[in-house]
Amino acid sequence: EHHHLAMRVADPGATEQDIIQALQYCSYELKLFSGTPMIAFDNQQYQRCALCPRVCHANRLTGANGFCAEGWQCRVAYIGAHFGEEPCISGRNGSGTIFFSGCSCGCFFCQNHQLSQGHLGELLSPDELLERCRDLARSGVHNLNFVTPEHFWPHIRFLCQNLRQEGCELPFLWNSSGF
């Protein structure tokens, strides 16, 4: 059922099988975080981008932007404790929120349009993102909350696998753009 919704908003050149495969891959990969060995950053999924159901196939490694209007370098608009989520997520110490810039939805009613369409934020290397999130995890937040993360999946996989390897037990929240 979810792949039919994604198909309606996907790039006209994407096949239904492309979209199903992208959704299944992300769902499968999210299950791999616990107890996995430390890995090196792998950016190859940016070469023929299919990280969201738009399946734009942009080669983000060569400087082309995807439908999300982002390249392969991870642009982060905000990293810090956020208290605007539901109380069960924010708790007393806040949700450790990482707002990623860019988005593949393009909703005209977006509450975060400055981030999703304005591309505010700083470019972070995988190691810089890992260090900033380590600091955030140590600050006492209740979770790490990835907001609009789909198009930076290789960075997030690297981050989460390494945090788990280091013993971080915080829940990881996938706060997607609706895909």
Side-chain angles (χ1 to χ4, degrees):
E1 182 177 327
H2 296 291
H3 66 272
H4 294 296
L5 173 64
M7 191 67 181
R8 286 195 309 237
V9 297
D11 176 59
T15 67
E16 184 173 356
Q17 187 59 39
D18 288 335
I19 294 166
I20 292 170
Q21 182 179 0
L23 292 171
Q24 288 172 338
Y25 180 79
C26 287
S27 295
Y28 171 75
E29 288 276 316
L30 283 170
K31 296 174 187 172
L32 299 179
F33 290 143
S34 182
T36 56
M38 186 173 283
I39 61 162
F41 178 65
D42 179 5
N43 64 6
Q44 291 307 299
Q45 285 184 284
Y46 293 126
Q47 189 170 13
R48 185 168 159 73
C49 192
L51 292 169
C52 80
R54 297 281 186 172
V55 190
C56 66
H57 295 290
N59 187 344
R60 293 168 61 188
L61 291 177
T62 61
N65 287 342
F67 187 90
C68 60
E70 294 291 339
W72 77 270
Q73 293 182 292
C74 188
R75 186 181 314 273
V76 177
Y78 174 79
I79 296 178
H82 179 61
F83 298 90
E85 299 291 345
E86 294 80 4
C88 62
I89 294 174
S90 294
R92 290 186 181 151
N93 300 329
S95 177
T97 303
I98 301 98
F99 282 96
F100 295 92
S101 296
C103 180
S104 55
C105 283
C107 304
F108 68 91
F109 53 83
C110 180
Q111 67 181 3
N112 295 319
H113 70 280
Q114 299 90 340
L115 311 180
S116 65
Q117 306 305 314
H119 307 286
L120 301 177
E122 61 183 310
L123 296 174
L124 298 177
S125 72
D127 290 329
E128 290 170 327
L129 180 63
L130 177 59
E131 187 57 38
R132 299 272 300 273
C133 289
R134 276 185 193 127
D135 292 343
L136 182 59
R138 289 182 197 124
S139 75
V141 294
H142 299 288
N143 52 62
L144 291 180
N145 183 357
F146 306 112
V147 180
T148 316
E150 297 86 355
H151 54 292
F152 289 121
W153 171 246
H155 284 81
I156 297 166
R157 179 181 54 217
F158 170 82
L159 167 71
C160 293
Q161 286 183 324
N162 284 296
L163 287 174
R164 283 292 188 252
Q165 182 66 28
E166 295 169 6
C168 177
E169 295 181 0
L170 286 177
F172 298 141
L173 305 181
W174 188 260
N175 196 340
S176 76
S177 58
F179 286 133

